[in-house]
Amino acid sequence: MRMILFMVIIFLAACSSDAASSPTQAGSKAKSTQTDKTATTKSTMKLKIRMNDTTFTATFEDNSSAKALVEFLQQGEMTLDMHDYGSFEKVADLPKSFPRNDKQIDTDAGDIILYQGNSITIYYDKNSWNFTRLGKIDNVNKARLKQILGEGNATVTFSIK
């Protein structure tokens, strides 16, 4: 009888030990999967830029300004009449102000810049100033970008891909 009682106690102790560890492992796995999914979503989200008959994608910068732009564009696309400035950029006023993360940077063709929190700029040449980088157009060079943007004003539509 003692032997049976002893075996029942050991059996119950083993079962409660397994049950106690299972939720922690399952919770840990679920949390890891959720984190991986969030990271994947962020890394795959792209800015879609349509200029004339050409569409580009751009990779977002990792800052609060770019995140605010993403949130804004999730409500719908934004079409702007961009003006040429200094023969190295196209610039337009934004419909609202965005948080700034200004720092001294050198721009290059394809950089998408937030200027003073309320203007967006697409660079097709170099510049240096205190700016907030929002992103960079993927796989484009200066000559191709300038050809597409053309002389004078350009109508550009921004959306999320």
Side-chain angles (χ1 to χ4, degrees), residues 67-81:
K67 288 174 185 160
L69 180 61
V70 167
E71 288 175 13
F72 180 76
L73 291 174
Q74 285 174 332
Q75 298 171 22
E77 66 182 20
M78 170 178 67
T79 300
L80 301 172
D81 187 29

Side-chain angles (χ1 to χ4, degrees), residues 86-102:
S87 298
F88 58 85
E89 69 184 35
K90 298 289 187 195
V91 64
D93 291 334
L94 290 165
K96 66 173 252 163
S97 291
F98 289 89
R100 295 168 65 173
N101 290 281
D102 292 346

Side-chain angles (χ1 to χ4, degrees), residues 1-74:
M1 182 81 165
R2 281 184 159 172
M3 184 63 140
I4 293 173
L5 183 60
F6 179 72
M7 289 179 76
V8 169
I9 291 172
I10 290 177
F11 178 75
L12 290 174
C15 287
S16 67
S17 173
D18 286 345
S21 66
S22 288
T24 305
Q25 290 172 349
S28 175
K29 185 175 181 180
K31 186 175 183 179
S32 174
T33 303
Q34 183 178 8
T35 303
D36 293 345
K37 189 174 182 180
T38 302
T40 302
T41 302
K42 285 182 181 180
S43 66
T44 58
M45 187 172 288
K46 293 281 190 170
L47 177 62
K48 183 176 161 185
I49 306 164
R50 191 173 63 244
M51 305 174 212
N52 300 322
D53 295 329
T54 305
T55 301
F56 291 101
T57 60
T59 302
F60 283 105
E61 194 73 14
D62 186 17
N63 62 38
S64 63
S65 307
K67 288 174 185 160
L69 180 61
V70 167
E71 288 175 13
F72 180 76
L73 291 174
Q74 285 174 332

